[in-house]
């Protein structure tokens, strides 16, 4: 894919920078192991240039009327819509997801861009009139240049989710997308450029992640950190951000509990959950992971779920008949192997899958279902971030809720029951940032997306996601 490779670059101060004079890193196709291209890595001078540009860009962009900021986001949305097919192809090529799923990424990116364009024009302050002749103004102002780092699992959506709220709020950005899926991010930046975003406002850099983040977070220019990735890296970055009292949004990992009660619509529940579990080969922060199924329907659920999982065809995301693509990188395949070996050694019963499959140079792993997984198994506490479903029976509602809240994670949670009172009790009791009842969708442009406890803090999307890029100022005029 020489075309793919030729388009890769760093975008700093409105200019593209290539591999000349820089170290470069190979980008791999997870479905074949082949090298897709070479990605330039930012030097210290590049990062300093990005900081200087972001500082200039912030001055320009904060002074740009909200309607003009919105117009840029709307034009970007139109370009993403126009190039949806090519964007989706690139996402599949570098990340592995099947074409049907890849197509949803530009679609959702358009929704996010358009919603944030509208929200840019709904950033309000308030006026407090006092009988003493003083009038207080509460202003909401853009916080400043944002450093944003995001993961490879949704190469288009993760990028847009970082950029759209920052730009809506009037902030400039330095984004470091994943070095493993850079092509999608590069195309989004090319679109922003074409949409008329002034050159200094958004920078895209790649590099050695820890070097880049240390450099950007130590700079007094950076005023906000937004991160999507694993809990350990999130904690590390939060510590770095503490040194400059930087505002942070942390979208970290989870261990999605699913509570399936015996009064649910079982066929529909299984259908929804199998699709949701193996979407993106399980590499989703809100993926359902621990399936707590009420004892009376446990065996039926396990049998039907395993049969459906076994029937899923794995293959290249580009092939029309593939139903699940490869994992995005070899690290995930070894993680799956280790978690399954440990669960089996602790007495879990493998009902489906459990092993790598296909070309050994690629990263395919079978859709896997494990039953009766003991609590002591590592996978019952550590996020698999892959195609593994863990089944575990429960007797009472109290027991299921306690189990759902057992871990230090609190991102996405699911419950299936036709009992309305129980739905309310579950909605109240679950310790998580997002709960779906009788459904699986947790992500909407106008609703906050984020976690509790170790899963992070702050939210993306919704008015909350824009507010995370604002600072409040009270002005008292007498
Ligand atoms: P990882 O934490 O090493 O990397 C995740 C992302 O963070 C990558 O894009 C990487 O470039 C970036 N990153 C890593 N170290 C960084 C640093 N010091 N500074 C700035 N950015 C940094 O994990 P991984 O092996 O790539 O992925 C597996 C784990 O990541 C999973 O267990 C899962 O918890 C987590 N993850 C979460 C999400 C999410 O949506 N919350 C997405 C992808 C991965």
């Amino acid at each position: 894919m020489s075309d793919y490779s030729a388009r890769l670059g760093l975008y700093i101060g409105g200019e593209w920078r290539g591999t000349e004079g820089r170290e470069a890193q190979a980008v791999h196709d997870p479905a074949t192991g082949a090298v897709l291209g070479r990605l330039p890595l930012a030097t210290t001078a590049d990062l300093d240039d990005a900081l200087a540009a972001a500082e200039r860009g912030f001055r320009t962009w904060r002074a740009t009327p909200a309607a003009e900021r919105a117009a840029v986001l709307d034009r970007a949305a139109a370009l993403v819509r126009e190039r949806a097919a090519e964007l989706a192809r690139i996402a599949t090529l570098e990340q592995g997801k099947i074409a049907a799923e890849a197509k949803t990424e530009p679609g959702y990116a358009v929704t996010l861009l358009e919603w944030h364009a509208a929200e840019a024009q709904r950033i309000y302050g308030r006026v407090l009139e006092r009988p003493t002749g003083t009038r207080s103004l509460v202003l909401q102002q853009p916080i400043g240049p944002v450093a944003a780092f995001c993961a490879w699992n949704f190469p288009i959506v993760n990028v847009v989710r970082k950029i759209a709220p920052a730009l809506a709020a009037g902030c400039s950005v330095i984004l470091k997308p994943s070095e493993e899926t850079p092509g999608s991010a590069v195309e989004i930046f090319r679109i922003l450029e074409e949409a008329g975003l002034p050159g200094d406002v958004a920078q895209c850099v790649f590099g050695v992640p820890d070097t880049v983040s240390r450099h950007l977070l130590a700079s007094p220019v950076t005023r906000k950190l937004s991160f999507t990735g694993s809990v350990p890296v999130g904690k590390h970055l939060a510590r770095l951000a503490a040194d400059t009292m930087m505002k942070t949004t942390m979208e970290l990992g989870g261990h999605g509990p699913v509570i399936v009660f015996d009064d649910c619509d079982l066929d529909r529940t299984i259908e929804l959950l199998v699709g949701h579990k193996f979407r993106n080969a399980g590499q989703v922060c809100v993926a359902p992971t621990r399936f707590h199924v009420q004892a009376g329907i446990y065996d039926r659920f396990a049998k039907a779920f395993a049969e459906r999982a076994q029937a899923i065809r794995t293959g290249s995301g580009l092939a029309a008949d593939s139903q699940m693509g490869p994992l995005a990188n070899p690290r995930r395949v070894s993680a799956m192997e280790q978690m399954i070996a440990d669960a089996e050694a602790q007495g879990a019963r493998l009902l489906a899958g459990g092993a790598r499959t296909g070309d050994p140079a690629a990263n395919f792993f079978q859709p896997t279902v494990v039953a009766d997984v003991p609590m002591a198994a590592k996978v019952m506490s550590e996020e698999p971030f892959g195609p593994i479903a863990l089944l575990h029976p429960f007797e009472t509602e109290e027991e299921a809720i306690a189990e759902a809240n057992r871990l230090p994670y609190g991102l996405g949670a699911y419950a299936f029951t036709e009992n309305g009172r129980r739905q309310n009790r579950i909605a109240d009791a679950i310790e998580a940032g997002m709960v779906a009842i009788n459904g699986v969708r947790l992500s909407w442009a106008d609703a906050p997306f984020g976690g509790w406890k170790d899963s992070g803090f702050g939210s993306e999307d919704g008015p909350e996601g824009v507010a995370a890029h604002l600072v409040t100022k009270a002005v008292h005029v007498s």
Side-chain angles (χ1 to χ4, degrees):
M1 280 307 299
S2 58
D3 190 35
Y4 172 95
S5 195
R7 287 178 75 80
L8 298 179
L10 313 172
Y11 185 65
I12 297 169
E15 284 175 3
W16 290 94
R17 302 182 181 187
T19 48
E20 327 72 63
R22 295 182 178 80
E23 285 188 29
Q25 176 174 315
V27 183
H28 293 274
D29 175 347
T32 61
V35 173
L36 291 171
R38 296 196 60 78
L39 178 71
L41 304 182
T43 61
T44 305
D46 289 325
L47 296 177
D48 284 337
D49 289 349
L51 285 162
E55 195 172 22
R56 288 191 303 274
F58 178 53
R59 285 197 294 272
T60 314
W61 197 238
R62 69 174 306 178
T64 303
E68 284 178 38
R69 299 203 301 269
V72 171
L73 291 170
D74 276 331
R75 281 197 294 275
L79 289 167
V80 170
R81 187 180 278 121
E82 203 178 293
R83 296 188 198 154
E86 178 57 9
L87 284 165
R89 195 187 64 86
I90 293 170
T92 292
L93 207 56
E94 59 186 13
Q95 197 272 347
K97 62 183 62 192
I98 57 168
E101 290 174 9
K103 265 200 266 179
T104 67
E105 285 218 42
Y108 195 50
V110 168
T111 305
L112 286 170
L113 287 162
E114 290 179 343
W115 187 83
H116 282 90
E119 190 67 6
Q121 300 168 92
R122 292 190 290 249
I123 299 171
Y124 306 120
R126 57 186 207 278
V127 179
L128 305 170
E129 298 287 0
R130 306 182 188 287
T132 54
T134 296
R135 175 176 285 163
S136 298
L137 309 176
V138 182
L139 308 181
Q140 299 294 340
Q141 300 187 321
I143 191 165
V146 178
F149 310 123
C150 63
W152 40 261
N153 56 338
F154 290 91
I156 301 170
V157 165
N158 285 352
V159 165
V160 171
R161 232 188 199 151
K162 292 280 174 257
I163 290 172
L167 297 184
C171 295
S172 59
V173 198
I174 305 174
L175 178 74
K176 189 201 79 57
S178 169
E179 286 69 25
E180 291 170 318
T181 55
S184 305
V186 161
E187 295 307 322
I188 294 295
F189 273 78
R190 291 188 186 276
I191 281 174
L192 290 170
E193 189 182 13
E194 243 181 271
L197 186 71
D200 287 337
V201 177
Q203 340 296 319
C204 180
V205 298
F206 298 98
V208 177
D210 198 46
T211 308
V212 174
S213 54
R214 279 181 192 276
H215 196 85
L216 298 182
L217 298 182
S219 165
V221 169
T222 310
R223 291 313 314 148
K224 150 115 194 153
L225 161 66
S226 181
F227 175 66
T228 300
S230 66
V231 175
V233 173
K235 288 186 177 177
H236 163 69
L237 294 177
R239 282 184 207 108
L240 293 182
D243 282 343
T244 54
M245 265 309 161
M246 194 176 289
K247 190 164 174 170
T248 62
T249 300
M250 292 285 170
E251 208 279 272
L252 309 178
H255 202 283
V258 185
I259 310 178
V260 183
F261 289 97
D262 58 12
D263 62 5
C264 74
D265 176 343
L266 191 58
D267 291 342
R268 177 179 172 272
T269 301
I270 291 169
E271 170 99 29
L272 280 175
L273 285 174
V274 171
H276 199 51
K277 171 68 242 181
F278 299 107
R279 175 173 80 117
N280 209 13
Q283 303 161 113
V284 182
C285 56
V286 293
T289 297
R290 285 170 288 153
F291 294 76
H292 303 291
V293 184
Q294 206 155 16
I297 54 167
Y298 182 73
D299 288 339
R300 255 172 79 202
F301 181 95
K303 184 167 180 291
F305 196 96
E307 277 170 9
R308 280 166 185 258
Q310 228 150 16
I312 293 172
R313 270 189 311 278
T314 53
S316 161
L318 295 173
D321 63 345
S322 297
Q323 294 174 316
M324 191 181 94
L327 301 192
N329 52 56
R331 294 190 300 289
R332 300 269 27 97
V333 181
S334 346
M336 296 310 105
E337 287 175 330
Q338 285 163 19
M339 284 180 168
I340 292 299
D342 172 72
E344 282 197 279
Q346 309 252 6
R349 267 190 309 131
L350 196 60
L351 300 187
R356 63 182 306 151
T357 177
D359 179 354
N363 309 326
F364 292 98
F365 197 84
Q366 295 169 324
T368 298
V369 183
V370 204
D372 312 341
V373 191
M375 289 301 167
K378 271 195 200 128
V379 72
M380 282 304 268
S381 303
E382 291 172 23
E383 184 181 25
F385 218 68
I388 299 182
L390 309 166
L391 312 188
H392 197 268
F394 73 90
E395 300 281 347
T396 66
E397 183 180 319
E398 293 69 28
E399 185 191 340
I401 291 172
E403 176 47 34
N405 291 339
R406 175 179 60 93
L407 293 181
Y409 294 110
L411 193 60
Y414 307 83
F416 291 82
T417 171
E418 294 295 315
N419 178 331
R421 285 175 199 235
R422 179 178 269 159
Q423 290 171 5
N424 282 330
R425 288 195 297 271
I426 295 283
D428 283 346
I430 296 288
E431 296 167 5
M434 294 165 283
V435 183
I437 296 177
N438 291 343
V440 291
R441 183 165 174 185
L442 294 171
S443 181
W444 309 81
D446 57 359
F449 186 96
W452 289 12
K453 305 195 274 186
D454 271 7
S455 294
F457 41 78
S459 303
E460 301 195 279
D461 304 347
E464 292 83 355
V466 176
H469 295 78
L470 300 170
V471 268
T472 304
K473 184 188 283 172
V475 180
H476 309 285
V477 185
S478 297

